[in-house]
Amino acid sequence: MTRIISIVSGKGGTGKTTVTANLSVALGEMGRKVLAVDGDLTMANLSLVLGVDDVNITLHDVLAGDAKLEDAIYMTQFENVYILPGAVDWEHVIKADPRKLPEVIKSLKGKYDFILIDCPAGLQLDAMSAMLSGEEAILVTNPEISCLTDTMKVGMVLKKAGLAILGFILNRYGRSERDIPPEAAQDVMDVPLLAVIPEDPVIREGTLEGIPAVKYKPESKGAQAFIKLAEEVDKLAGIKAKIMY
């Protein structure tokens, strides 16, 4: 059984790509077969965070009808983790039809334990197409009131659209003394708090190296938070499966 999870937020820069990459690698380390999808069709960079570059065929080619889906999926250097990357040039962005994305993602059901979709922020067409490609969603926010409220709004839209909201991640906590604490953030979001990811320079260092923190320095605070998140997501998926099936 495949769990298709959209990683979403209300604002750009919250760390969705970093979350997607680290969660993918952490689940892979647990023995789960994972496909990480770069669903941000205008600002694709998930492949760089996972250390995959110089690919010839991408998701954009598939959405443009110029390539087969199986030719756009690549193994990463990380155990059990595969990636469906996006293109970075504007020519491919223009040709790709985001409306086809849900159908493409659903066709992969049964081939992976988890499909994690790194979605663009907001509620525009390309963002909605990516988010609605999932069956569940994890909200990613920073400890700032504007970010929390915007992400909460996206969560409400997705819930009305039929996605199961697993909960939210409070990312980059501890950057400022004015950060909204986890308890207050949960009151605003009104969904379960899955993880608090601390501000940790190791996460950025790993990203620049193309090695997510959970593999770059697994003993670091940031990596440990992502590992705990993976355990929680895996457990929640199992519980939901029992309820649904």
Side-chain angles (χ1 to χ4, degrees):
M1 182 183 61
T2 303
R3 315 306 298 176
I4 308 176
I5 304 176
S6 298
I7 310 297
V8 309
S9 73
K11 287 195 172 193
T14 59
K16 295 184 304 298
T17 301
T18 301
V19 168
T20 303
N22 277 277
L23 181 55
S24 296
V25 174
L27 286 168
E29 290 278 299
M30 294 167 57
R32 306 296 184 250
K33 187 178 180 182
V34 183
L35 176 66
V37 178
D38 199 333
D40 193 337
L41 299 181
T42 57
M43 299 292 286
N45 58 19
L46 178 61
S47 58
L48 299 178
V49 180
L50 284 170
V52 176
D53 55 13
D54 196 27
V55 296
N56 295 319
I57 300 173
T58 69
L59 174 60
H60 286 75
D61 295 305
V62 177
L63 295 177
D66 295 333
K68 295 180 180 179
L69 177 56
E70 56 267 28
D71 293 332
I73 296 174
Y74 302 83
M75 292 181 63
T76 71
Q77 60 184 305
F78 308 107
E79 185 177 10
N80 299 317
V81 179
Y82 298 76
I83 184 168
L84 177 52
V88 296
D89 60 283
W90 189 244
E91 180 181 351
H92 278 84
V93 171
I94 293 173
K95 290 177 65 178
D97 184 353
R99 295 170 296 181
K100 295 181 179 179
L101 187 56
E103 179 183 353
V104 167
I105 299 301
K106 295 296 193 300
S107 72
L108 293 166
K109 228 178 162 179
K111 297 181 180 180
Y112 301 90
D113 296 312
F114 286 92
I115 297 175
L116 303 182
I117 309 167
D118 180 18
C119 301
L123 294 170
Q124 66 273 24
L125 173 62
D126 60 333
M128 289 301 298
S129 294
M131 290 187 287
L132 295 178
S133 297
E135 297 175 341
E136 303 169 342
I138 293 176
L139 313 178
V140 181
T141 188
N142 296 150
E144 304 160 4
I145 189 61
S146 61
C147 191
L148 285 162
T149 53
D150 283 353
T151 304
M152 176 191 64
K153 292 173 186 175
V154 170
M156 291 172 64
V157 170
L158 295 181
K159 189 174 182 179
K160 288 182 179 179
L163 272 70
I165 309 300
L166 293 178
F168 79 100
I169 297 167
L170 191 62
N171 195 33
R172 304 195 68 182
Y173 183 69
R175 282 186 297 175
S176 167
E177 294 180 354
R178 293 175 294 178
D179 281 356
I180 295 176
E183 298 79 9
Q186 188 160 17
D187 288 340
V188 173
M189 296 296 293
D190 197 30
V191 295
L193 175 59
L194 298 177
V196 177
I197 310 298
E199 178 71 5
D200 186 344
V202 167
I203 296 175
R204 178 172 174 77
E205 290 170 16
T207 297
L208 294 174
E209 294 291 333
I211 305 174
V214 294
K215 198 69 175 176
Y216 181 67
K217 288 187 179 178
E219 74 285 353
S220 65
K221 290 182 179 179
Q224 286 296 309
F226 279 121
I227 291 169
K228 289 181 180 178
L229 170 64
E231 293 170 349
E232 182 67 17
V233 170
D234 189 55
K235 180 177 69 175
L236 286 173
I239 292 173
K240 190 170 187 292
K242 290 180 181 178
I243 293 174
M244 292 180 65
Y245 300 95

